[in-house]
Amino acid sequence: MPTGVDRRQVLAYRWHAQQLDRAPGTAGPTDCDILDLGVQNTGPDGAAWALRLRGAAEPGPDERGRLALAWTLRGAPHLYRRGDLPAVAVATAPLSETDAGKRIFDANKPLKAAGIPALDALRTVAGLMDEIVTEPTVKGAMSSALTARVEAPYLRFCRPCDATHLYEMPFRLAALQAGLELRPGTSPPVLEKIPGWRQAAFAASGAEADPRLDVVRGYLRFYGPTAPAQVAAFLDAPVRDVTAHWPEDAVDVLVDGQPRSMLAADLDALLAPPEDDSVRLLGPFDPYLQLKDRETLVPDPDHRKSLWPTLGRPGAIARGGELVGLWRPRASGRKLTVAITPWGRLSAAVRAGVLEQAEALAEHRGVAAAGVTEEA
């Protein structure tokens, strides 16, 4: 009979696994386990705030180069340790031809009709990107150069741009395989060579990933207990491919009676997770909110709808793994107010924690804190 756990244990385990119970400034800039899976860098605070919430100190001038930004999972920009980038390229490559076709979305149909396998198309794009970038290159210039070099099945007409150019997902998924990183703080994005890169484009496809950086294991590690369908949704991969790559050391558990899986090495931590009541203002794309079993984290359907709207995501107020409300930044000149929407009565301790976090966020942004307001 599989081991049984409840929702409280699951949230406490994930909170601790993601190191959200660490005090600010108690770890080095790259000393965050979640960097193994990558930290999505979306929004004004992005990955830097997510790392700060996990205890990482602000990198000094001589430490900033130890982190690097690349397009990887779901085509989104993610932050990694620079030294891990070659192994990250292996770990984040499609698991199969079918997986590659699924990850490139609408680009797969014309390529398939032309008899071009998705993996071959990605290799082609990566090879061209490697040739094109001889100096830091703005995304638009890269797109124009690629458009002039590829055949019609690689291209689409884009109404917002009123132009024909490469499909977006092959563009993004090929960049790291071409040895290209994103220059932080650039908009539009600037792509540049990763120093010392020697890896052939998509040589990693089908290769065995470093267990520490393996994305299926990573999801189990940081979001377990889970199921293959949830991992597949996180990766934009077919469930069949995720199941084929399911870790041999995964064990079955029941979460409130529902069958799930967990890495065997993490089972003890799941059964008796450390208790913590730290308050955190999680950013809209914080790793803790990127899970695919949203019903476990937020049981109330109205609360789920407000936390994950189609557009304009808010951040979440969390206390020791449990979400207790929403927050949004309200900037005015050089001042920052944090507007909160509680999902119930907040204790004095939680309100004090929110105020402390609001002040930390203002300091992180380099502006003055103007307090916390409450909205309906």
Side-chain angles (χ1 to χ4, degrees):
M1 185 68 162
T3 302
V5 295
D6 59 26
R7 174 179 175 274
R8 179 195 61 80
Q9 289 170 290
V10 170
L11 297 190
Y13 165 78
R14 292 173 180 174
W15 186 257
H16 178 66
Q18 294 199 24
Q19 298 177 304
L20 283 158
D21 52 0
R22 296 199 298 185
T26 55
T30 62
D31 183 22
C32 272
D33 291 347
I34 196 67
L35 284 167
D36 293 346
L37 189 58
V39 182
Q40 187 167 332
N41 190 53
T42 300
D45 307 304
W49 178 245
L51 294 180
R52 179 165 175 162
L53 292 180
R54 289 158 174 81
E58 184 77 19
D62 59 339
E63 296 175 309
R64 290 179 188 137
R66 294 169 60 192
L67 293 168
L69 196 62
W71 280 319
T72 56
L73 303 175
R74 305 174 302 280
H78 282 72
L79 197 67
Y80 298 93
R81 301 178 190 89
R82 177 170 296 282
D84 286 341
L85 286 181
V88 167
V90 175
T92 59
L95 301 172
S96 70
E97 170 63 27
T98 303
D99 184 14
K102 190 172 189 302
R103 293 197 201 192
I104 63 175
F105 299 133
D106 54 346
N108 190 48
K109 185 175 180 180
L111 289 168
K112 189 174 183 178
I116 303 171
L119 280 172
D120 286 352
L122 288 169
R123 292 188 186 100
T124 296
V125 175
L128 291 173
M129 293 176 94
D130 179 36
E131 293 175 7
I132 291 167
V133 177
T134 57
E135 59 183 8
T137 304
V138 177
K139 183 187 177 188
M142 167 68 87
S143 180
S144 296
L146 281 171
T147 299
R149 298 188 186 201
V150 298
E151 301 169 348
Y154 289 82
L155 304 173
R156 70 181 181 93
F157 178 73
C158 176
R159 289 188 180 278
C161 299
D162 192 27
T164 296
H165 54 63
L166 199 79
Y167 281 88
E168 185 69 16
M169 288 306 289
F171 186 107
R172 288 176 177 249
L173 295 180
L176 178 59
Q177 305 295 334
L180 303 178
E181 62 179 301
L182 300 170
R183 178 176 288 182
T186 56
S187 181
V190 172
L191 297 100
E192 52 192 3
K193 294 278 192 181
I194 298 169
W197 189 265
R198 293 291 182 270
Q199 194 162 343
F202 274 90
S205 184
E208 186 175 347
D210 180 330
R212 177 172 62 85
L213 304 172
D214 182 279
V215 291
V216 176
R217 292 185 65 85
Y219 193 92
L220 279 159
R221 177 182 169 194
F222 295 112
Y223 298 103
T226 189
Q230 294 162 357
V231 181
F234 180 78
L235 301 177
D236 282 333
V239 176
R240 179 179 298 179
D241 282 306
V242 170
T243 302
H245 286 77
W246 206 244
E248 293 182 358
D249 56 339
V251 296
D252 294 334
V253 298
L254 295 174
V255 178
D256 292 329
Q258 297 297 312
R260 296 289 183 266
S261 295
M262 190 76 192
L263 293 176
D266 296 329
L267 186 57
D268 287 345
L270 173 65
L271 295 176
E275 294 187 6
D276 180 66
D277 60 0
S278 302
V279 176
R280 300 285 184 259
L281 292 183
L282 304 174
F285 291 89
D286 186 272
Y288 192 73
L289 306 179
Q290 295 282 52
L291 77 180
K292 293 304 176 181
D293 59 331
R294 293 176 173 179
E295 296 81 0
T296 300
L297 181 58
V298 184
D300 186 294
D302 291 333
H303 291 166
R304 286 199 301 274
K305 186 176 180 180
S306 63
L307 177 58
W308 291 291
T310 304
L311 296 172
R313 288 189 190 183
I317 306 168
R319 177 182 179 271
E322 189 73 61
L323 303 191
V324 296
L326 309 176
W327 71 273
R328 293 183 184 274
R330 304 295 188 207
S332 177
R334 298 288 298 170
K335 294 183 178 180
L336 177 69
T337 300
V338 169
I340 66 171
T341 304
W343 286 343
R345 181 180 175 277
L346 300 182
S347 68
V350 172
R351 288 185 178 278
V354 169
L355 180 58
E356 182 179 326
Q357 285 276 286
E359 292 171 349
L361 179 63
E363 187 270 329
H364 176 75
R365 289 191 176 191
V367 297
V372 175
T373 61
E374 189 167 323
E375 298 180 345

